[in-house]
Amino acid sequence: MNIDTNTIVSMTEANQNFSMVTRIVDQYGTAIIFKNNKPRYEVKVFDDAESDEIAADEDVLDVSKKLLKRNAAIYEELAK
C-alpha cells in the first residue's frame, strides 16, 4: 500500500486537532493516523467506504464455483 506523505497524521496530532484530519480527508480522500510510528488507522469519506465493501467479480465467481462443486449432488437432486 502506498501512502501519500501529505495524508500522514500522528495519533497525538489527531487527538489534539481532529478537524485537521477531516480537512486532509476532504482534500486527499483519506488520512492515515500513525501510532508508534506505524500506520494504524485510515480515515476516509463515509461514501467511499461503501464502495470498498463490494466484492470483485472474480472473488464472487470463485466462491460460486466452490459452492457449486461442494453441493453438486444437492443441486442435481433439486433439479429433478
Side-chain angles (χ1 to χ4, degrees):
M1 169 194 242
N2 292 330
I3 299 174
D4 184 348
T5 56
N6 295 315
T7 65
I8 296 173
V9 181
S10 72
M11 178 65 83
T12 303
E13 285 178 305
N15 280 331
Q16 293 173 352
N17 192 358
F18 193 73
S19 62
M20 178 188 65
V21 175
T22 60
R23 282 192 302 274
I24 291 171
V25 173
D26 288 339
Q27 184 175 0
Y28 296 100
T30 188
I32 306 297
I33 300 175
F34 273 52
K35 184 175 183 179
N36 298 326
N37 295 320
K38 295 179 184 174
R40 178 72 175 174
Y41 303 101
E42 178 182 19
V43 181
K44 56 183 161 181
V45 177
F46 186 75
D47 293 338
D48 295 344
E50 188 175 305
S51 64
D52 290 347
E53 293 179 7
I54 298 172
D57 289 344
E58 298 82 27
D59 295 337
V60 173
L61 288 173
D62 288 343
V63 170
S64 297
K65 287 177 185 176
K66 288 178 186 176
L67 288 173
L68 284 170
K69 187 175 182 179
R70 183 185 315 155
N71 299 311
I74 295 168
Y75 290 134
E76 287 175 11
E77 186 65 30
L78 289 172
K80 292 180 185 178

